[in-house]
Amino acid sequence: MISFKDVTKGYGNENALKDLSLTINSGELFVLVGPSGSGKTTLLKMVNRLISPTSGRVFIDDDDVASVDVQDLRRHTGYVLQTGALFPNMTVEQNASVQLEALG
Ligand SMILES: Nc1ncnc2c1ncn2[C@@H]1O[C@H](COP(=O)(O)OP(=O)(O)OP(=O)(O)O)[C@@H](O)[C@H]1O
Ligand SMILES: [Mg+2]
């Protein structure tokens, strides 16, 4: 389970995200859709702390990601970038699984 609790991310005087709460259950296939600039990447990058919220908290199961070891967190997170750094001979699933396969 991944939960966002009252997450806000500000850049200067603008909020990319404001008071967002959302829970994605284990095993759920979840698709986040929105126009360019609506904050999708900002939200995604909070899961493995590539971006930290200005306020609010992000949980994986019962663990607040802010209080777990960041290297361990990222080793256990499959993350496929929007452009570049993809293996073009592999499917989306295979690309997303590279890190998890390495962990066995
Ligand atoms: N490092 C930054 N500094 C300032 N503003 C930023 C920064 N990163 C993102 N933003 C702003 O935050 C908002 C959300 O950006 P984000 O990249 O999360 O959108 P997105 O939904 O992923 O867009 P796209 O569909 O184009 O990938 C945008 O207004 C963007 O300009
Ligand atoms: Mg994006």
Side-chain angles (χ1 to χ4, degrees), residues 37 40-42 82:
K40 304 179 299 293
T41 296
T42 302
Q82 193 160 348

Side-chain angles (χ1 to χ4, degrees), residues 10 13 20-21 25 34 36 40 50 52 54 63 72 75 85 90 104:
N13 293 327
L20 186 146
S21 294
N25 292 308
S36 181
K40 304 179 299 293
L50 290 172
S52 296
T54 305
D63 296 326
D72 195 49
R75 269 197 294 271
M90 290 163 50

